[in-house]
Each structure stands twice: as C-alpha cells, then as structure tokens.
Amino acid sequence: MPAINLLPTDLSPKSSIAKASQIIKNASIVGLVLVIVSAVGIIAFLVITSFQIRNSNIQQDQLKAGIKSLEQTEQRLVLTKDRLKYASEVLGKETAVGAIEDLDLLFSTLPEEVEIREAQVAAAKTEISIVAKSSSGLTKTLASLLATDYYENIKLTSFAFNINAGYIVSVSLSK
C-alpha cells in the first residue's frame, strides 16, 4: 500500500534525506543487533572461561596432592634402598661369632689358677693375654690350647714372669 503524505510538499523531507534516514535507521538496528550478539558472546565466553579456570584449579590441586604423596613414597623408597645397601654390606662382612664360640670353649677348659687379662677377637685372628699364678697352671693352659683343633696357627707373642702376678703370656690364634 502506498504511503499517503498529508503534509504540504514544502514541509516534507527531501527524498535523499529520507533515504539517508532510512539507511541510518537500518544500520542502527543492525548495529544494535551486533552489539547485543557480541555482548551475549562475551558473557558466554567469560562464563565458559571461568568454569575452565575452576576445573584447572581443581586439577592442579589434585596433581599437587599426588606429587606430595609421591614425594613421600620416593623418600621412603630411597631410605629403604639405602638401608638395604647397608644391610647387604653388614651381612656380607665376616663375623667373629664362631671365634667367640671357640674362645668360650677354650676358656671353659682353663684351670682355676689362670685368669684372662685381655682378649681381642676378630673373624680371622684372636689374641688373648692370660695370667697364670703357677707353672703347672701355665702348662695345663698351653697343653689345652695346643690340644684344641679350633685353631690352625698358635703363636706365642709374649712371655713374661712377674713375682707378684705370675706368668703373663700373650698368644695369637688364627684359623
């Protein structure tokens, strides 16, 4: 339907101004729609980004907790590994348990007038120092020492006599 204009023609706008007005009106509507769509897009982007940041923070906290537990596990593993290394070193060394048992059997055969002054026990070699108040006690001690089959080498390292103490003898025994 054609537009009816009841205004006098001298008061009506020029056709070029009316066309420009219509173009500006259409452009402003399109611009307003673009602004609204852009605003909705920006708001949606901010909401989605905030959810992603929140999820990333939650994952980061979970990973930190996992790393802390793994650090404790790693520390325990390193300590256990270190202890195993030292345990294998200790278990690999020779012990003097057998030498002490042999020495204990030897001491049980000593006469009463003989006393042990000093004993140094190692896995391969044992050194003892004894004091005998009489020559018969010394003889019995040396005889029992030579009669045992515990030691391969028996070496007399020192022999002394003191009027107050008696015979002081040091012997080195090795297997």
Side-chain angles (χ1 to χ4, degrees):
M1 175 176 215
I4 299 176
N5 188 4
L6 299 176
L7 289 175
T9 56
D10 54 334
L11 290 178
S12 68
K14 294 184 183 179
S15 68
S16 63
I17 293 177
K19 283 183 182 179
S21 166
Q22 188 63 33
I23 291 172
I24 291 173
K25 181 180 174 185
N26 288 339
S28 67
I29 290 174
V30 169
L32 180 64
V33 169
L34 286 176
V35 167
I36 290 173
V37 168
S38 296
V40 168
I42 289 173
I43 290 172
F45 174 75
L46 291 175
V47 168
I48 290 171
T49 304
S50 70
F51 281 129
Q52 287 177 344
I53 289 173
R54 186 178 306 138
N55 288 339
S56 293
N57 286 338
I58 290 171
Q59 284 180 337
Q60 183 180 9
D61 291 340
Q62 290 173 345
L63 289 174
K64 283 181 182 178
I67 288 171
K68 282 186 181 181
S69 69
L70 289 176
E71 283 176 353
Q72 292 173 352
T73 304
E74 182 183 17
Q75 287 174 351
R76 288 186 196 135
L77 180 65
V78 167
L79 288 175
T80 303
K81 194 175 185 182
D82 194 41
R83 287 179 184 159
L84 284 174
K85 181 180 85 171
Y86 288 125
S88 65
E89 285 179 15
V90 168
L91 292 175
K93 290 187 177 181
E94 292 183 30
T95 62
V97 173
I100 291 175
E101 291 173 352
D102 293 342
L103 200 57
D104 186 40
L105 292 172
L106 177 67
F107 289 163
S108 65
T109 62
L110 293 179
E112 289 183 15
E113 65 247 16
V114 175
E115 67 181 54
I116 308 300
R117 177 173 280 181
E118 180 181 359
Q120 294 179 352
V121 181
K125 183 178 178 183
T126 303
E127 294 185 14
I128 60 172
S129 179
I130 57 175
V131 176
K133 298 196 187 281
S134 68
S135 61
S136 64
L138 178 63
T139 306
K140 289 178 186 175
T141 303
L142 292 177
S144 66
L145 187 62
L146 292 173
T148 63
D149 57 349
Y150 310 132
Y151 304 105
E152 291 178 9
N153 295 325
I154 301 172
K155 182 179 177 184
L156 184 64
T157 55
S158 74
F159 185 85
F161 178 74
N162 184 337
I163 281 219
N164 296 330
Y167 295 97
I168 304 169
V169 177
S170 294
V171 180
S172 176
L173 310 167
S174 60
K175 289 225 172 216

